[in-house]
Amino acid sequence: MAEHEESRCENCIIRELNSLKALKKEELKAISDSKITRRIKKGEALFQEGEKLGGVFCVRNGVSKLSKISDNGKDQIVKIASKGEVMGQRSVISEEATNLSAVALNDMEVCFIPKNNIIERIQDNPAFTQAILKHMAQELKIADDFIVNMAQKTVNQRLAEILLYLNTTFGTDEEGYLALILSRADIADVVGTATELCIRTLAKLKKQGLIETKGKRIKILDRSGLQQLKDGF
Amino acid sequence: MAEHEESRCENCIIRELNSLKALKKEELKAISDSKITRRIKKGEALFQEGEKLGGVFCVRNGVSKLSKISDNGKDQIVKIASKGEVMGQRSVISEEATNLSAVALNDMEVCFIPKNNIIERIQDNPAFTQAILKHMAQELKIADDFIVNMAQKTVNQRLAEILLYLNTTFGTDEEGYLALILSRADIADVVGTATELCIRTLAKLKKQGLIETKGKRIKILDRSGLQQLKDGF
DNA sequence: GATAAAAGATGACTTTTGTCAGTTGCCCAA
DNA sequence: TTGGGCAACTGACAAAAGTCATCTTTTATC
């Protein structure tokens, strides 16, 4: 059966968003022949903390949370990955079990690329390796900023920040509500707090006229107000 | 004037500790010819947040803190770098100003390697690039763990953890006190709390017989007790 | 559309953490 | 040796965050 044109890596526009764009046409063809496209339903796991990954996942559609359970038993979301992002790179590169779990936040379509394809490319295509290196350097910087935020900011500030992040990263729907809908529990897991406090803090923002809610959906009314809050008034 | 043998990178044992070990002899010679050895006194800065770094720093001796000021004006230490570690890699690789400041915690001796040396090596020595890549993957994992700790653990737990870390990483002096002596303010900046709470929490550990203090020096009396505390009793 | 299950929301309370104002003690330099 | 300055420490209080119990609303499913 003939494959659709866009299901071949060489033609896939997603690749432009990540390190795979450094690959040559014939390399992409090889990857395309061994990759597996999978559909993941909302709530399903792509992989679990501690698993040895057989390859990386390239997100074609949908959004996934990457989280880790702390010793205290609470889940902390460290990243939200969406279209174009590659998950599991770290684990494949360091040849260790992954330290994070990935769970779909909505229905997803991902390409699974067996790790040999990646490792061989790293060994023989310096441009590719450098692209990944630059990307990792960027991620490391983001991680440092995250650490500082978690350590030094209040729940208030962190919540304001994540609302702004969701807005700029995923945009809004026709009615102006944040396009990516997270449960209160997931928002709390990003902010690093209890669900109750997250809900309470959202209620406070609502009372201050900074946001509006409708069910679990959230609309930002005062961007610069949130920005100020984020920076500590 | 003839240089001492051990001041040449080719002969430097420090290199065995980091990615530079992936370099060939002639590459090391080139680096050695352009590198500058510097002495930094305790309290002096190697570089400041926001600076464009002209190269990387390889620590030969001494210890440095890497920190970042949060929007709230508080300093957060994200890493403690010691012998063998390379600082400033991220900034050089991503060609951006550094996001961290580096300040010496005791007298240091570092080698400054101009960035061209690093960038050229990344472009023409795949083994070197891969070594850095693996190292960064490792750092990223550590950063994720740090995030989860900051987000989900109490000051108590984080303090216990850092005491154990100081013990395993830097060891103890003849009397059994932690060999790396940090001010209470610095410990607080690692833990991500106020100096007063850090002091109070140390006093509590002392009362529980887990540690002993003498001036600013700290001795661990009950390793497994601290371990338990770290994991939440 | 009824109903059960899940998620959201709120109140009351406890614990943890932060802040401010001060005291003590130590080290170093005049 | 003395005294100024800084770091360590303490107390009292305020603010932030966590917890538990309960209730309401939404969502999913038959």
Side-chain angles (χ1 to χ4, degrees):
Chain A
M1 201 206 301
E3 272 194 291
H4 290 293
E5 272 298 294
E6 75 273 17
S7 75
R8 305 255 342 145
C9 297
E10 311 92 278
N11 306 315
C12 178
I13 42 158
I14 299 297
R15 156 176 63 91
E16 283 308 313
L17 300 170
N18 60 45
S19 311
L20 297 175
K21 67 165 176 278
L23 293 175
K24 298 180 209 106
K25 198 149 192 192
E26 60 270 24
E27 292 174 319
L28 285 169
K29 278 184 180 158
I31 285 179
S32 200
D33 290 339
S34 63
K35 76 149 206 285
I36 298 160
T37 303
R38 276 180 58 194
R39 279 166 202 286
I40 319 282
K41 282 211 209 75
K42 177 176 176 175
E44 280 180 11
L46 280 106
F47 52 82
Q48 297 277 358
E49 196 177 333
E51 246 178 68
K52 274 232 162 194
L53 298 185
V56 301
F57 297 84
C58 178
V59 180
R60 278 174 67 95
N61 258 307
V63 181
S64 168
K65 62 177 172 181
L66 286 156
S67 67
K68 182 179 151 82
I69 310 246
S70 84
D71 295 334
N72 300 3
K74 290 185 218 151
D75 212 35
Q76 175 66 41
I77 295 177
V78 298
K79 179 166 172 142
I80 294 177
S82 57
K83 185 186 271 196
E85 296 200 68
V86 178
M87 298 188 289
Q89 286 194 82
R90 270 201 313 278
S91 170
V92 164
I93 288 167
S94 58
E95 294 168 295
E96 288 175 353
T98 177
N99 55 327
L100 302 174
S101 299
V103 172
L105 290 171
N106 45 39
D107 291 351
M108 298 183 77
E109 202 183 329
V110 301
C111 290
F112 174 79
I113 304 173
K115 67 177 171 188
N116 288 350
N117 282 281
I118 302 296
I119 291 172
E120 284 167 23
R121 255 14 89 214
I122 285 176
Q123 266 150 16
D124 62 24
N125 183 341
F128 179 56
T129 315
Q130 282 169 49
I132 297 182
L133 190 58
K134 280 209 177 184
H135 181 253
M136 297 255 273
Q138 202 56 43
E139 291 252 295
L140 212 37
K141 187 175 167 184
I142 292 168
D144 281 342
D145 289 347
F146 203 164
I147 289 170
V148 177
N149 278 343
M150 296 313 289
Q152 304 287 2
K153 295 196 172 176
T154 64
V155 167
N156 244 296
Q157 294 180 293
R158 300 194 315 256
L159 182 61
E161 181 152 26
I162 201 219
L163 291 177
L164 291 168
Y165 164 79
L166 290 175
N167 187 38
T168 58
T169 309
F170 301 102
T172 54
D173 63 17
E174 329 74 46
E175 296 176 71
Y177 289 92
L178 293 177
L180 180 65
I181 298 170
L182 296 178
S183 71
R184 299 295 191 255
D186 278 338
I187 297 175
D189 286 351
V190 179
V191 171
T193 189
T195 309
E196 297 94 318
L197 183 55
C198 173
I199 290 171
R200 260 185 256 276
T201 310
L202 281 171
K204 205 166 64 186
L205 297 185
K206 207 163 137 182
K207 205 171 285 170
Q208 294 175 282
L210 299 171
I211 62 167
E212 184 187 306
T213 63
K214 193 175 181 183
K216 57 183 356 186
R217 297 192 302 156
I218 297 168
K219 186 193 282 184
I220 291 178
L221 298 176
D222 182 354
R223 255 183 96 70
S224 66
L226 279 180
Q227 188 73 41
Q228 278 188 300
L229 210 100
K230 180 197 119 180
D231 297 331
F233 328 176
Chain B
M1 202 205 301
E3 270 193 291
H4 290 294
E5 273 300 293
E6 74 275 16
S7 76
R8 307 256 339 145
C9 298
E10 311 91 279
N11 305 315
C12 178
I13 43 158
I14 298 297
R15 154 175 65 91
E16 283 308 314
L17 300 169
N18 59 47
S19 312
L20 297 173
K21 68 164 175 278
L23 291 176
K24 299 182 208 102
K25 198 148 191 192
E26 61 269 27
E27 291 174 319
L28 285 168
K29 278 184 179 155
I31 285 179
S32 200
D33 290 339
S34 63
K35 76 152 206 284
I36 299 160
T37 302
R38 276 180 58 195
R39 277 166 205 287
I40 319 282
K41 282 211 209 75
K42 178 176 174 175
E44 279 180 12
L46 281 108
F47 53 81
Q48 296 279 0
E49 195 178 333
E51 248 179 64
K52 274 234 163 195
L53 299 185
V56 300
F57 297 84
C58 179
V59 181
R60 278 172 68 94
N61 258 308
V63 182
S64 167
K65 63 177 172 180
L66 287 156
S67 67
K68 181 178 152 81
I69 309 244
S70 83
D71 295 335
N72 301 2
K74 289 185 216 149
D75 214 32
Q76 175 65 40
I77 296 177
V78 297
K79 181 171 171 136
I80 294 176
S82 57
K83 184 187 275 196
E85 295 199 69
V86 178
M87 297 187 290
Q89 287 194 81
R90 269 201 312 280
S91 168
V92 165
I93 288 167
S94 58
E95 295 168 295
E96 289 174 352
T98 176
N99 55 326
L100 301 175
S101 299
V103 172
L105 289 172
N106 45 37
D107 291 351
M108 298 183 77
E109 201 184 329
V110 301
C111 290
F112 175 80
I113 304 172
K115 66 177 173 187
N116 288 349
N117 282 279
I118 302 295
I119 291 172
E120 283 167 23
R121 253 16 86 212
I122 285 176
Q123 266 150 15
D124 62 24
N125 183 341
F128 179 56
T129 316
Q130 282 169 50
I132 297 181
L133 190 57
K134 279 209 179 188
H135 181 253
M136 297 257 272
Q138 203 56 43
E139 292 253 296
L140 211 37
K141 187 176 167 182
I142 292 168
D144 280 343
D145 289 347
F146 203 164
I147 289 170
V148 176
N149 279 343
M150 298 313 289
Q152 304 286 0
K153 295 197 173 175
T154 64
V155 168
N156 245 296
Q157 295 181 294
R158 296 188 325 247
L159 182 61
E161 183 153 25
I162 199 214
L163 291 176
L164 290 168
Y165 165 80
L166 291 174
N167 187 39
T168 58
T169 309
F170 301 102
T172 54
D173 62 18
E174 328 74 45
E175 296 176 72
Y177 289 93
L178 293 177
L180 180 66
I181 298 170
L182 296 179
S183 71
R184 299 296 190 256
D186 277 338
I187 297 176
D189 286 351
V190 180
V191 172
T193 189
T195 309
E196 296 95 319
L197 184 54
C198 174
I199 290 171
R200 259 185 257 277
T201 310
L202 280 171
K204 205 166 65 186
L205 298 185
K206 206 162 138 184
K207 205 169 286 171
Q208 293 175 284
L210 298 171
I211 63 167
E212 187 187 305
T213 64
K214 193 176 182 181
K216 57 185 353 187
R217 296 191 304 154
I218 298 169
K219 186 194 284 184
I220 291 179
L221 298 177
D222 182 354
R223 252 182 100 69
S224 65
L226 279 180
Q227 188 72 42
Q228 278 188 298
L229 211 99
K230 180 197 120 180
D231 298 331
F233 323 179

